[in-house]
């Protein structure tokens, strides 16, 4: 290695060797093998209306000769042909962008994206480091992008048109580097902003128009570069540290400390307090910041500055976004791997079951408080402007909306318990499963969007759904039985706790299923919906969590 | 299980542990008697922390037996952990807690927690109750960890390299805590260290580990008495490749050589006499010298 | 009672304590009938294992330097006891051994050394008479 530039390149290669080879392999596979697969299926990806063509060509002969399994395979293959290239290109570019933030998980501080500060003890100047990483990163992104676009025949789809915009990817890289380096001292805040950027990049409406407008991407690009430059500089010289949310909000956080008992009455109460102070308080404050604060600002804008009432469609958007805020924040928290306190908790004389129950109770408290805030703000919405006529716009009545809100509350609560069994396992690969599952769900939504274009496939899919769900429910109960039995036998979970949880589970399911059955007893999708409710309420993973915690506790 | 009938606080038999290709513990067997201070010494990487983690149940025994007061730390973590006070080498107290919150939280898990005693210790250690743990210095962090390990008067005080990286004041506090634990009510202390002068001061029993094996174990006085430091003087200068059977280590040059031997003193003296030398001085080596002698012997 | 121990010099700690107590008694800094500190207190003061202090006290009791008084403490024995005198002479002989070794190193004959001792003893005595 003759120069620092080569040394850095070698380090990148060495660290990501396997990933790079997998990406190269996938690229070659799609470049060489994919056209042959398309030819076999009689699908011409280059044609202007590729989707229409394939929909015309691939109709399932609607007779009973094809079993459900074969239909499922058919659908999956169809989805692969249509979405495979673009999905892989998406993931590859994301991976390349992540590689050039030059971060790695840090064992000591449990930071998932820690910049190697040993680089700062080497005689390389910060501008050199910055320019190398930025230029090499942009070059890599552009190179990968153009090779995918030029050599792989990708079917043209409206939904994915935005991802064929190179500058969008370059901006994503610049913003990613900027946020990761500038917010290195605040991992939680950084995770929040990164998620916001990711969500904006993938979910914002009319992406291609937004991306091509000169008012959106170029400023973001410049901002990302500036943040990256400042961030590296500050990281090197230890500035921008020591400023703490806690200290800034110390007045407000005092609100979160109720009259504490002199002494906790039981270990369970102590552990619940621990979880409260560790995440519930911060999470609820974040929800408040995201829901109450904008509301108050809007209120001030209306009444103090005398601007008119908020427009109908903005109100509508706000009413839809507020419920999602609580759910999103809980979701982000549940997959965040900041679990530095586990060794301390595991030394205390308490069983794994007791640790888990405290976590379940704490997430219940945080759900109730967050949704209390959200519903409070929703009820106060009429102050902002004319409350939109939901009945007409959504076509839903009040009891429907209530049921949906209850469903959202269940979703908000469940997101932490279901990931306990992965995050607590102490095995790095296993604890990444929630993120993978999230990506699978995301991919599934896209897949459904594509499927909905073909009436025959759509019907076939819906015919499969009740069967699939039933199998899934049986599997769920089987796994729950097995995991609870093992947990009880090994003394990881007290039978009283298990019975208490089963009672809570039954109550939650009943609270949602019974109104659904009463209200929609004549609808064809009733059975599937009830199965979905049963599937959504965590059971097997709760039995599994003490077992994975034991893997960590007794390596 | 009636724990008062158990004579041994800790019983380890034939314990093996592998981390990948590396054998961290090689057929380790130990007994720690109640009411005594047991010192475990070894170089860095000898396996001391791995052994202690087995006692806490943080590691599961791959083969062999681990029993603390008769309980298996993996099968019965609550029974074992409620009797152990543990101070780890790492700073693993939750950074976001305050000192008073830490005391209150820990107190809930141990029925025998003595609030007045905890308060005494806190004042003695000079810890501000409203200080956040992440603002504490390394020494104060260690004192906080020691405080919550002592306040409920555990039957077994387990210290993993308690003095590493700490200033002499904090080290004194830790030594005092060890002595107080054993002097009052005859509780047991198990600590690992590579600060041998501390081990010499407070340990009753000693075990020495090298590369995952226990090479020496027994009462400290016996260990010290069985080791001799001999100074030999030969009639003619000896080559630097001189070897004397029965000695652990041999240093020196020319006519005068210093050897440390363990129990094989007569054999060494006889061999030296045959080679034309005699003993000119003899006394007891310090634990430091014994340790270095064994380290040298093990690397050959 | 000012006693100091040091690790690493080869002499077992309990022996160091015992020797120092014997020296204190012999030099008069500990008078007969004085109480030695309780085992626990001395262990805390010196930062050594209480068992080590106990062993030192046992050793001293065995040699008659101290004695236990109906479980309420350890006290220095009378000077006149024959064992104590034997102990005092033993301490001095060790000192004499060291002195003789040093004299040999400095090439001074034992007879000459005796002369030096007599001279020094005479020059000290007049000061005590005043």
């Amino acid at each position: 290695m003759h120069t620092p530039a080569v040394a850095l390149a070698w380090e990148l290669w060495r660290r990501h060797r396997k990933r790079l080879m997998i990406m190269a392999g996938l690229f070659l596979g799609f470049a060489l093998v994919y056209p042959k697969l398309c030819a076999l299926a009689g699908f011409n990806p280059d044609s202007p209306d590729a989707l229409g063509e394939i929909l015309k060509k691939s109709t399932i002969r609607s007779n009973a000769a094809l079993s459900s399994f074969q239909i499922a395979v058919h659908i999956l293959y169809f989805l692969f042909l249509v979405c495979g290239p673009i999905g892989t290109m998406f993931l590859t570019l994301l991976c390349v962008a992540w590689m050039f933030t030059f971060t790695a998980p840090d064992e000591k501080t449990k930071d998932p994206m820690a910049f190697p500060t040993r680089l700062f003890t080497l005689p390389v100047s910060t501008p050199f480091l910055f320019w190398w990483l930025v230029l090499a990163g942009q070059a890599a992104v552009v190179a990968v992008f153009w090779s995918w676009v030029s050599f792989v025949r990708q079917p043209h789809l409206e939904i994915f048109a935005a991802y064929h915009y190179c500058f969008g990817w370059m901006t994503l890289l610049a913003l990613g580097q900027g946020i990761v380096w500038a917010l290195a001292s605040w991992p939680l805040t950084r995770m929040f902003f990164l998620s916001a950027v990711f969500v904006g990049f993938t979910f914002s409406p009319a992406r291609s128009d937004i991306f091509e407008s000169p008012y959106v991407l170029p400023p973001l690009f410049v901002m990302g570069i500036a943040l990256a430059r400042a961030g590296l500089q500050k990281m090197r010289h230890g500035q921008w540290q020591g400023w703490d949310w806690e200290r800034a909000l110390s007045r407000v956080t005092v609100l979160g400390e109720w009259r504490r008992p002199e002494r906790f009455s039981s270990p369970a109460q102590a552990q619940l307090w621990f979880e409260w102070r560790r995440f519930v308080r911060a999470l609820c404050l974040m929800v408040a910041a995201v829901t109450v604060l904008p509301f108050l600002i809007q209120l001030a804008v209306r009444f103090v500055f005398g601007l008119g009432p908020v427009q109908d469609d903005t109100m509508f958007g706000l009413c839809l976004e507020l419920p999602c805020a609580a759910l999103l924040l809980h979701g982000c928290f549940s997959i965040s791997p900041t679990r530095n306190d586990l060794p301390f908790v595991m030394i205390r004389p308490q069983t794994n079951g007791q640790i888990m129950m405290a976590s379940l109770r704490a997430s219940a408290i945080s759900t109730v408080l967050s949704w209390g805030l959200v519903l409070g703000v929703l009820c106060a919405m009429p102050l902002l402007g004319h409350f939109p006529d939901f009945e007409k716009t959504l076509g839903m009545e009040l009891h429907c909306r209530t049921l949906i809100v209850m469903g959202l509350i269940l979703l908000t609560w469940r997101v932490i318990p279901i990931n306990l069994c992965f995050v607590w396992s102490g095995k790095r690969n296993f604890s990444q499963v929630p993120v993978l599952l999230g990506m699978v769900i995301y991919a599934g939504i896209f897949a459904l969007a594509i499927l909905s274009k073909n009436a025959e496939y759509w019907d076939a899919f819906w015919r499969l759904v009740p069967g699939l769900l039933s199998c899934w429910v049986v599997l769920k109960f089987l796994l729950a039985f097995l995991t609870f039995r093992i947990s009880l036998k090994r003394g990881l979970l007290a039978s009283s706790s298990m019975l208490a949880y089963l009672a809570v589970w039954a109550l939650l399911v009943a609270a949602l299923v019974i109104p659904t059955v009463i209200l929609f007893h004549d609808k064809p999708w009733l059975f599937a919906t009830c199965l979905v409710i049963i599937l959504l309420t965590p059971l097997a993973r709760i039995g599994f969590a003490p077992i994975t915690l034991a893997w960590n506790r007794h390596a | 299980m009636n724990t008062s009938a158990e004579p041994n606080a800790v019983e380890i038999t034939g314990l093996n542990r592998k981390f990948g290709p590396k054998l961290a513990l090689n057929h380790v067997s130990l007994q720690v008697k109640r009411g005594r201070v047991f010192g475990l010494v070894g170089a860095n990487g000898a396996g001391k922390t791995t052994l202690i983690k087995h006692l806490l149940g943080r590691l599961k025994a791959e083969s062999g037996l681990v029993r603390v007061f008769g309980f298996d730390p993996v099968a019965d973590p609550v029974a074992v952990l409620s009797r152990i006070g543990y101070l780890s080498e790492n700073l693993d107290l939750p950074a976001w807690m305050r000192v008073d919150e830490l005391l209150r939280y820990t107190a809930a898990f141990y029925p025998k927690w003595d609030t007045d005693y905890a308060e005494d210790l806190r004042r003695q250690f000079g810890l501000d109750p409203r200080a956040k743990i992440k603002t504490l210095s390394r020494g104060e962090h260690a004192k906080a960890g020691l405080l919550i390990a002592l306040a409920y008067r555990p039957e077994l005080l387990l210290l993993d390299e308690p003095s590493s990286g700490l200033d002499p004041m904090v080290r004194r506090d830790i030594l005092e805590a060890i002595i107080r634990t054993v002097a009052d009510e005859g509780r047991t202390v198990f600590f690992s260290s590579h600060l041998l002068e501390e081990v010499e001061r407070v340990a009753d029993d000693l075990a020495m580990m090298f590369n995952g094996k226990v090479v020496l174990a027994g009462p400290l006085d016996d260990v010290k008495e069985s080791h001799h430091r001999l100074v030999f003087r030969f009639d003619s200068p000896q080559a630097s490749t001189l070897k004397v059977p029965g000695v652990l280590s041999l240093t020196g040059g020319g006519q005068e050589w210093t050897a440390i031997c363990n129990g094989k003193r007569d054999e060494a003296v006889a061999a030296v006499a045959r080679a034309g030398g005699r003993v000119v001085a003899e006394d007891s080596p310090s634990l430091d010298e014994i340790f270095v002698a064994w380290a040298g012997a093990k690397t050959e | 009672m000012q006693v100091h121990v040091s690790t690493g010099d080869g002499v077992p700690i309990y022996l160091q304590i015992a020797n120092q107590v014997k020296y204190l008694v012999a030099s008069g800094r500990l008078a007969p009938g004085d109480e030695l500190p309780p085992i626990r207190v001395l262990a805390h003061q010196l930062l050594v294992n209480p068992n080590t202090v106990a062993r030192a006290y046992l050793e001293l009791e065995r040699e008659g330097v101290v004695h236990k008084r109906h479980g309420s403490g350890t006290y220095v024995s009378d000077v006149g006891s024959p064992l104590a005198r034997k102990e005092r002479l033993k301490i001095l002989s060790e000192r004499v051994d060291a002195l003789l070794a040093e004299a040999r190193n400095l090439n001074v004959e034992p007879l000459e050394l005796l002369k030096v001792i007599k001279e020094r003893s005479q020059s000290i005595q007049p000061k005590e008479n005043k």
Side-chain angles (χ1 to χ4, degrees):
Chain A
M1 265 154 269
H2 303 291
T3 62
V6 175
L8 283 175
W10 175 87
E11 178 172 349
L12 261 182
W13 157 253
R14 191 65 178 74
R15 252 207 275 160
H16 303 286
R17 227 177 11 185
K18 287 192 200 132
R19 286 184 199 103
L20 287 171
M21 293 206 284
I22 293 177
M23 292 198 296
L26 284 172
F27 170 69
L28 284 174
F30 274 103
L32 299 172
V33 178
Y34 177 73
K36 300 201 174 49
L37 289 176
C38 292
L40 264 178
F43 167 52
N44 182 8
D46 294 329
S47 65
D49 186 18
L51 191 59
E53 270 202 34
I54 194 173
L55 292 176
K56 269 187 278 175
K57 290 248 168 104
S58 56
T59 50
I60 321 169
R61 276 154 267 292
S62 43
N63 53 14
L66 286 175
S67 70
S68 313
F69 178 68
Q70 283 175 309
I71 297 178
V73 169
H74 219 97
I75 294 180
L76 284 174
Y77 187 61
F78 160 71
L79 285 172
F80 166 73
L81 283 182
V82 173
C83 315
I86 187 68
T88 317
M89 180 175 109
F90 182 83
L91 289 173
T92 308
L93 282 168
L94 266 187
C95 195
V96 169
W98 170 68
M99 272 168 48
F100 278 92
T101 59
F102 218 73
T103 54
D106 183 0
E107 274 305 315
K108 245 206 286 185
T109 54
K110 303 282 192 290
D111 189 352
M113 293 180 105
F115 193 84
T117 45
R118 63 180 151 81
L119 283 179
F120 296 136
T121 59
L122 296 171
V124 282
S125 65
T126 321
F128 167 79
L129 208 54
F130 165 72
W131 283 116
W132 193 94
L133 285 170
V134 162
L135 290 178
Q138 296 289 343
V141 162
V142 170
V144 169
F145 178 83
W146 280 113
S147 42
W148 270 94
V149 166
S150 325
F151 294 114
V152 175
R153 301 159 66 196
Q154 303 191 25
H156 298 286
L157 287 167
E158 203 41 57
I159 315 182
F160 300 135
Y163 299 140
H164 286 148
Y165 193 55
C166 187
F167 191 57
W169 286 105
M170 292 165 66
T171 314
L172 186 69
L173 172 68
L175 270 180
Q177 284 175 325
I179 292 175
V180 168
W181 295 339
L183 296 178
S185 307
W186 304 285
L188 274 182
T189 320
R190 176 175 64 186
M191 188 71 63
F192 177 69
F193 276 108
L194 277 179
S195 321
V197 165
F198 180 72
V199 165
F201 187 70
T202 47
F203 283 118
S204 47
R207 276 189 306 280
S208 24
D209 301 332
I210 288 184
F211 282 8
E212 278 164 22
S213 131
Y215 296 116
V216 176
L217 282 185
L220 284 177
F221 183 79
V222 170
M223 184 172 81
I225 304 275
L227 274 177
R229 180 73 181 88
L232 265 189
Q233 181 83 18
K234 301 298 178 190
M235 227 199 298
R236 182 171 209 157
H237 304 294
Q239 297 163 292
W240 283 4
Q241 286 172 358
W243 191 81
D244 211 350
W245 284 114
E246 288 258 0
R247 212 151 13 112
L249 298 171
S250 53
R251 287 291 175 84
V252 184
T253 54
V254 164
L255 292 175
E257 292 177 18
W258 71 83
R259 261 298 88 201
R260 299 183 293 279
E262 246 331 289
R263 191 166 165 158
F264 290 116
S265 57
S266 69
Q269 201 188 38
Q271 191 59 31
L272 181 59
W273 168 85
F274 185 95
E275 297 284 349
W276 157 263
R277 284 282 270 114
R278 212 186 71 71
F279 79 88
V280 173
R281 203 173 67 167
L283 199 52
C284 293
L285 283 174
M286 279 204 279
V287 170
V290 165
T291 53
V292 174
L293 218 59
F295 174 75
L296 290 176
I297 293 175
Q298 204 65 29
L299 213 59
V301 158
R302 184 180 180 197
F303 290 114
V304 172
F305 297 108
L307 293 172
V310 178
Q311 298 296 323
D312 262 19
D313 43 3
T314 317
M315 284 281 280
F316 191 75
L318 274 174
C319 290
L320 284 186
E321 278 168 14
L322 276 176
C324 300
L327 180 54
L328 204 65
L329 281 171
H330 278 75
C332 292
F333 170 75
S334 76
I335 60 176
S336 82
T338 51
R339 269 275 163 186
N340 313 350
D341 306 324
L342 259 188
F344 178 74
V345 168
M346 291 194 290
I347 293 285
R348 303 300 127 212
Q350 53 183 349
T351 60
N352 296 354
Q354 286 169 318
I355 300 175
M356 179 187 74
M357 293 306 280
S359 197
L360 294 181
R361 286 193 195 106
S363 44
I365 293 179
S366 109
T367 307
V368 164
L369 286 177
S370 313
W371 272 95
L373 282 170
V374 165
L375 290 175
V377 171
L378 276 177
C379 291
M381 282 298 249
L383 287 174
L384 277 189
H386 176 61
F387 208 56
D389 206 344
F390 271 117
E391 262 106 58
K392 272 200 234 138
T393 15
L394 280 178
M396 267 195 274
E397 299 148 14
L398 178 67
H399 47 256
C400 240
R401 277 182 274 148
T402 319
L403 211 55
I404 291 191
V405 166
M406 283 168 67
L408 284 176
I409 296 180
L410 173 67
L411 283 181
T412 312
W413 172 74
R414 84 184 269 273
V415 83
I416 292 176
I418 57 171
N419 288 327
L420 287 177
C421 62
F422 299 115
V423 170
W424 276 352
S425 64
K427 299 182 198 291
R428 194 140 53 96
N429 294 332
F430 202 62
S431 53
Q432 309 252 331
V433 168
V435 179
L436 287 176
L437 282 181
M439 294 175 92
V440 165
I441 292 177
Y442 175 63
I445 295 176
F446 258 113
L448 282 179
I450 293 185
L451 265 184
S452 60
K453 304 266 174 63
N454 177 353
E456 273 214 35
Y457 271 132
W458 197 231
D459 284 335
F461 175 69
W462 282 113
R463 265 189 286 136
L464 281 179
V465 157
L468 279 174
L469 287 178
S470 316
C471 292
W472 202 342
V473 167
V474 168
L475 188 66
K476 176 194 178 90
F477 282 126
L478 194 66
L479 283 175
F481 173 71
L482 281 173
T483 52
F484 273 113
R485 203 170 78 132
I486 296 178
S487 292
L488 281 177
K489 202 158 64 137
R490 304 219 289 209
L492 300 171
L493 182 64
S495 46
S496 56
S497 307
M498 182 189 84
L499 291 172
Y501 182 73
L502 286 178
V504 166
W505 185 89
L507 221 73
L508 286 174
V509 168
L512 280 173
V513 163
I514 293 176
T516 315
V517 167
I518 294 176
L519 290 172
F520 304 112
H521 53 90
D522 51 351
K523 296 284 198 303
W525 38 261
L526 176 68
F527 182 59
T529 314
C530 294
L531 285 182
V532 166
I533 294 175
I534 295 182
L535 279 174
L536 280 181
T537 323
L539 192 63
R541 286 193 244 203
I542 303 295
F544 196 36
I547 301 176
T548 57
L549 185 56
W551 295 348
N552 196 354
R553 199 174 189 182
H554 311 294
Chain B
M1 190 159 303
N2 187 5
T3 59
S4 61
E6 281 288 324
N8 288 337
V10 170
E11 188 128 6
I12 300 176
T13 321
L15 186 60
N16 285 309
R17 179 73 190 194
K18 256 187 148 154
F19 286 118
K22 181 176 173 205
L23 192 61
L25 291 178
N26 191 352
H27 227 77
V28 168
S29 295
L30 276 183
Q31 282 88 37
V32 177
K33 298 195 187 53
R34 280 174 178 252
R36 289 167 77 83
V37 179
F38 192 99
L40 182 65
V41 302
N44 293 325
K48 306 193 291 292
T49 305
T50 311
L51 190 67
I52 290 184
K53 282 196 168 162
H54 277 94
L55 294 180
L56 291 166
R58 292 288 282 125
L59 288 175
K60 198 162 155 174
E62 281 174 1
S63 61
L65 209 71
V66 177
R67 294 284 179 267
V68 179
F69 295 113
F71 296 105
D72 179 358
V74 172
D76 215 342
V78 178
V80 166
L81 292 173
S82 54
R83 292 177 167 81
I84 291 186
Y86 173 60
L87 177 63
S88 112
E89 184 191 9
N90 304 318
L91 313 171
D92 66 354
L93 297 178
W96 49 268
M97 264 198 203
R98 292 201 310 256
V99 171
D100 59 352
E101 291 173 339
L102 177 68
L103 291 178
R104 226 184 19 254
Y105 170 77
T106 320
F109 291 93
Y110 304 98
K112 290 196 291 180
W113 184 278
D114 186 345
T115 320
D116 299 320
Y117 182 44
E119 184 58 28
D120 277 340
L121 280 176
R122 187 196 63 74
R123 248 181 274 129
Q124 187 189 326
F125 288 159
L127 294 170
D128 175 15
R130 301 206 45 97
K132 276 211 182 215
I133 289 182
K134 68 177 156 201
T135 61
L136 294 180
S137 71
R138 200 189 156 92
E140 288 170 326
H141 197 117
K143 284 197 268 196
L146 189 62
L147 171 53
I148 60 168
L150 289 176
Y152 54 94
R153 300 203 165 88
E155 289 177 48
L156 172 65
L157 187 62
L158 196 58
L159 308 168
D160 187 1
E161 306 235 6
S163 310
S164 72
L166 299 176
D167 63 63
M169 298 299 297
V170 185
R171 279 198 252 134
R172 282 188 76 91
D173 288 327
I174 292 179
L175 281 180
E176 266 180 24
I178 295 179
I179 293 164
R180 189 173 24 222
T181 306
V182 149
D184 311 342
E185 308 148 33
R187 291 178 283 133
T188 319
V189 177
F190 183 104
F191 78 111
S192 78
S193 181
H194 50 251
L195 288 179
L196 293 163
E197 47 162 53
E198 288 186 352
V199 178
E200 251 187 292
R201 291 184 100 105
V202 297
D204 285 309
D205 301 313
L206 180 76
M208 203 180 277
M209 280 184 79
F210 279 103
N211 288 333
K213 271 184 104 69
V214 173
V215 298
L216 260 190
L220 180 63
D221 293 331
D222 290 355
V223 167
K224 291 201 74 178
E225 273 167 30
S226 74
H227 285 80
H228 305 270
R229 180 170 57 195
L230 304 160
V231 181
F232 301 126
R233 189 178 170 83
F234 292 91
D235 297 328
S236 50
Q238 302 288 317
S240 59
T241 53
L242 174 68
K243 288 234 181 304
V244 177
V247 305
L248 280 175
S249 81
L250 196 60
T251 47
Q255 290 177 285
E256 294 228 339
W257 291 78
T258 308
I260 297 188
C261 56
N262 175 26
K264 295 201 187 137
R265 178 197 171 279
D266 298 328
E267 185 187 327
V269 170
V272 162
R274 279 200 303 272
R278 64 186 196 287
V279 178
V280 291
E282 179 173 353
D283 57 8
S284 299
S286 71
L287 202 55
D288 237 32
E289 291 167 318
I290 297 176
F291 181 80
V292 172
W294 275 97
K298 280 293 145 188
T299 50
E300 276 161 23
Chain C
M1 185 174 87
Q2 287 307 304
V3 177
H4 303 279
V5 294
S6 69
T7 56
D9 75 350
V11 178
I13 296 180
Y14 82 94
L15 217 53
Q16 291 183 37
I17 298 174
N19 287 346
Q20 288 191 42
V21 169
K22 284 190 242 177
Y23 182 75
L24 288 175
V25 170
S27 67
R29 278 159 61 184
L30 268 181
D34 277 352
E35 186 183 1
L36 292 184
I39 293 177
R40 189 189 297 184
V41 170
L42 190 58
H44 262 290
Q45 178 191 330
L46 296 175
L47 283 187
V48 295
N49 195 312
N51 289 343
T52 312
V53 178
R55 192 167 169 191
Y57 280 20
L58 210 63
E59 186 75 16
L60 289 168
E61 201 184 347
R62 201 171 54 79
E63 293 172 6
V65 181
V66 303
H67 65 273
K68 274 209 173 101
R69 200 179 294 172
H70 30 255
S72 72
T74 316
Y75 295 83
V76 179
S77 306
D78 281 328
V79 168
S81 126
L83 280 173
R85 181 177 165 76
K86 193 170 93 175
E87 271 318 300
R88 281 183 283 142
L89 284 177
K90 187 165 156 221
I91 292 173
L92 277 178
S93 344
E94 285 169 15
R95 293 295 185 103
V96 167
D97 281 343
L99 191 58
L100 282 174
E102 189 151 359
R104 194 165 161 203
N105 278 343
L106 296 171
N107 237 336
V108 172
E109 294 293 314
L111 281 172
E112 207 175 324
L113 188 58
L114 266 172
K115 250 188 9 185
V116 172
I117 291 175
K118 276 206 188 118
E119 279 172 19
R120 294 305 300 153
S121 151
Q122 274 169 357
S123 68
I124 290 176
Q125 263 187 352
K127 286 197 195 122
E128 284 178 355
N129 284 342
K130 281 179 187 161

